[in-house]
Amino acid sequence: MNGGLLVAGTTSDAGKSVVTAGICRWLVRQGVKVAPFKAQNMSLNSFVTREGAEIGRAQAMQAQACRVEPTALMNPVLLKPGGEQSSQVVLLGKPVGELSARGYHGGRQQKLLGTVLDCLAELRGTYDAVICEGAGSPAEINLRRTDIVNMGIARNARLPVLVVGDIDRGGVFASFFGTVALLSPEDQELVAGFLVNKFRGDVSLLEPGLDMLHGLTGRQTYGVLPFRHGLGIDEEDGLRVSLRGTVRESNTAPPVGEDVLRVAVCAIPLMSNFTDVDALAAEPGVVVRFVDRPEELADADLVVVPGTRGTVRALEWLRERGLADALRRRAAEQRPVLGICGGLQILGEHIEDEVESRRGEVDGLGILPVRVRFAREKTLTRPAGEALGERVEGYEIHHGVAEVTGGEPFLDGCRVGQTWGTHWHGSLESDGFRRAFLREVAAAAGRRFVPAPDTSFAALREEQLDRLGDLIEQHADTDALWRLIESGAPQGLPFIPPGAPA
């Protein structure tokens, strides 16, 4: 078997990432050697592979679904937004420069097509099947000429395309039909059919619409996946969900002790690696929310200042909103604060930045004895060590080089009183360390909170990935899906006018 599939979507956030992961987990349980692939990802939520390459966390999660080690081949192009108009371009795991959207789509993107196809070919030569994830919608006709992630990759690699639609948003039939009808005849030949995501209710009520969709497009629907809570793992951007008062992967189990522990995460601009708090939210009795007002810190037992792609901009935002003063008061009152990566830099005394913001010398909040100088070369490592008497593993993604001049050592950063700072992402996924840290926070906050003795974050992740595999196995036409992956798009699919404009 040397199969492949491109999972496209009617919109961003239609569920492409989780559907791709679900198909990967279903295949690997069938004994198929499978790998994920996304030619181009735009995300501030990234990960470091063992060889020191930076890729999107969604592809790292999909590799875990495949039970393989993630590599740069699985996400050769990563775009990390630095503002409204520009992004850092990461190629094969290493940053190669900053480009405006116009500059990228004006020529650079098309030049990357050869690299992208080489990576895909190498994966297809190694694995039985490669499940590719698209980006946004394949019917973005303004970008089709330079597309290397949707129909551009499908056409060049002759991949069948499965279009995912989020029915919970409404308008899914129009979205399916319109997506196909805005593609050229050559692109339409590869669009095999549809997959309905996040359906609530009786499927029999949906079937007449699916029959009409088949009659209109000549394409089948490969499954209707029911709505399930808690499956949005390692998405490209979960902030808009979190700010509505829900936190991805929140655990509803009652606390082990008498009290809950309240965690407030500052929703700073260009927030990166918000998945750092997923391990906290997985703990029974820990309530995590994202906040953007100083009064929301008042009842928090722990405040987290997360990573960001814009440290200086985030500092200004914290000051403008009064959150900077609230953080200083917390530190002075010995109330727990944790700064991660950009958060560590913000809590420090001084920043010298001629790389990210190019603002030169800027004062930090002065809570931790740390001075930061931004280097042009990015630090991409997978450190391991010990803290609070427990083994810890993490990963680092930053341009800022920290000089720690005082405090107690803490994961290559420092601790002063009840304020901690580290460049390590992912440290809270180490179960023993997380429990020890939460015990310290609870004691400092005066809460009778007790960490659950048996919460395994890795095991919870595996359970979620199995749930995704179950969704595909139980609610998709897996025989038809298998044929699609193995043999490509069906022959003779009809053209749906008007097609892409000339």
Side-chain angles (χ1 to χ4, degrees):
M1 181 179 183
N2 184 16
L5 175 69
L6 175 69
V7 179
T10 56
T11 62
S12 295
D13 203 32
K16 296 183 292 291
S17 294
V18 293
V19 167
T20 299
I23 292 173
C24 287
R25 178 49 62 100
W26 162 66
L27 283 172
V28 81
R29 294 196 306 207
Q30 309 307 308
V32 177
K33 186 180 179 184
V34 60
F37 180 79
K38 184 162 185 172
Q40 172 193 293
N41 200 344
M42 178 172 279
S43 178
L44 289 173
N45 198 24
S46 59
F47 182 75
V48 178
T49 67
R50 295 207 178 274
E51 73 266 32
E54 184 179 8
I55 66 172
R57 270 198 71 108
Q59 280 62 66
M61 174 268 291
Q62 290 160 359
Q64 186 177 348
C66 297
R67 298 184 178 137
V68 298
E69 192 67 32
T71 73
L73 293 174
M74 298 172 183
N75 180 206
V77 181
L78 173 64
L79 306 178
K80 302 194 73 175
E84 296 295 327
Q85 299 293 330
S86 67
S87 293
Q88 182 180 65
V89 181
V90 179
L91 179 62
L92 292 174
K94 303 296 181 183
V96 294
E98 297 271 342
L99 277 179
S100 67
R102 181 181 294 273
Y104 185 68
H105 290 286
R108 181 62 183 268
Q109 184 180 33
Q110 191 67 18
K111 293 177 181 177
L112 296 174
L113 180 60
T115 299
V116 163
L117 291 172
D118 288 345
C119 291
L120 178 56
E122 187 170 342
L123 288 174
R124 295 187 80 176
T126 305
Y127 293 88
D128 300 329
V130 178
I131 308 302
C132 308
E133 179 188 343
S137 162
E140 291 168 351
I141 54 179
N142 57 315
L143 302 176
R144 177 61 185 92
R145 182 177 61 83
T146 57
D147 171 45
I148 64 169
V149 65
N150 290 308
M151 299 313 299
I153 194 78
R155 282 268 292 277
N156 278 279
R158 303 306 300 171
L159 292 170
V161 178
L162 183 68
V163 180
V164 178
D166 179 357
I167 197 170
D168 199 46
R169 294 181 171 191
V172 74
F173 292 117
S175 297
F176 281 146
F177 183 87
T179 296
V180 179
L182 278 176
L183 299 178
S184 69
E186 295 81 5
D187 285 350
Q188 288 193 25
E189 288 177 1
L190 295 172
V191 178
F194 314 106
L195 186 75
V196 177
N197 192 28
K198 300 182 185 177
F199 179 71
R200 306 173 192 248
D202 185 347
V203 176
S204 66
L205 299 177
L206 192 65
E207 288 171 351
L210 299 178
D211 291 339
M212 285 186 276
L213 183 66
H214 183 269
L216 288 166
T217 67
R219 289 158 174 84
Q220 75 175 86
T221 297
Y222 284 76
V224 178
L225 306 185
F227 186 95
R228 292 287 186 268
H229 288 283
L231 291 179
I233 51 179
D234 289 2
E235 300 134 320
E236 294 176 2
D237 183 6
L239 180 58
R240 58 186 173 277
V241 176
S242 303
L243 287 178
R244 289 204 300 266
T246 59
V247 177
R248 303 159 345 91
E249 317 323 319
S250 287
N251 195 301
T252 57
V256 175
E258 296 179 48
D259 288 343
V260 299
L261 206 64
R262 296 174 176 84
V263 179
V265 185
C266 294
I268 56 179
L270 297 174
M271 182 170 61
S272 61
N273 291 74
F274 51 84
T275 45
D276 282 330
V277 300
D278 284 356
L280 294 178
E283 282 284 348
V286 175
V287 180
V288 179
R289 67 184 189 276
F290 287 81
V291 303
D292 57 4
R293 298 192 300 268
E295 56 268 26
E296 294 177 295
L297 305 189
D299 66 345
D301 303 307
L302 169 67
V303 172
V304 177
V305 186
T308 173
R309 249 283 275 160
T311 299
V312 172
R313 178 178 169 185
L315 256 171
E316 292 173 343
W317 182 87
L318 289 167
R319 286 176 170 132
E320 289 167 0
R321 289 178 171 257
L323 285 159
D325 290 337
L327 287 168
R328 288 195 189 96
R329 285 194 298 271
R330 283 190 68 91
E333 294 166 0
Q334 297 297 305
R335 301 179 66 197
V337 177
L338 171 64
I340 303 174
C341 198
L344 161 68
Q345 299 165 9
I346 286 167
L347 296 175
E349 298 171 341
H350 184 78
I351 296 169
E352 183 182 336
D353 181 12
E354 299 292 349
V355 175
E356 193 175 77
S357 69
R358 298 180 177 87
R359 294 284 294 277
E361 297 189 6
V362 178
D363 289 332
L365 297 187
I367 298 173
L368 291 176
V370 174
R371 300 178 69 85
V372 176
R373 177 184 57 82
F374 276 70
R376 296 204 174 275
E377 185 175 347
K378 183 183 285 190
T379 298
L380 296 168
T381 62
R382 291 276 291 269
E386 186 174 299
L388 303 180
E390 298 288 345
R391 177 76 173 170
V392 189
E393 294 183 356
Y395 57 99
E396 294 185 57
I397 306 170
H398 54 89
H399 284 280
V401 178
E403 178 190 0
V404 180
T405 60
E408 302 175 40
F410 175 73
L411 299 180
D412 291 345
C414 68
R415 170 186 180 179
V416 174
Q418 294 302 323
T419 301
W420 295 263
T422 177
H423 267 137
W424 293 20
H425 294 289
S427 62
L428 294 166
E429 295 179 20
S430 298
D431 297 327
F433 166 71
R434 183 180 65 254
R435 287 191 276 269
F437 177 71
L438 289 176
R439 282 193 290 269
E440 291 235 1
V441 168
R447 295 286 186 187
R448 291 171 294 182
F449 169 84
V450 178
D454 55 355
T455 300
S456 167
F457 187 73
L460 289 173
R461 265 294 161 82
E462 278 296 303
E463 289 175 13
Q464 285 185 311
L465 292 170
D466 277 331
R467 289 173 65 198
L468 291 177
D470 292 343
L471 277 179
I472 298 299
E473 189 168 329
Q474 296 168 11
H475 300 282
D477 185 342
T478 52
D479 289 339
L481 199 57
W482 185 279
R483 290 192 298 272
L484 191 62
I485 294 168
E486 190 173 37
S487 304
Q491 297 296 308
L493 292 170
F495 170 70
I496 310 301

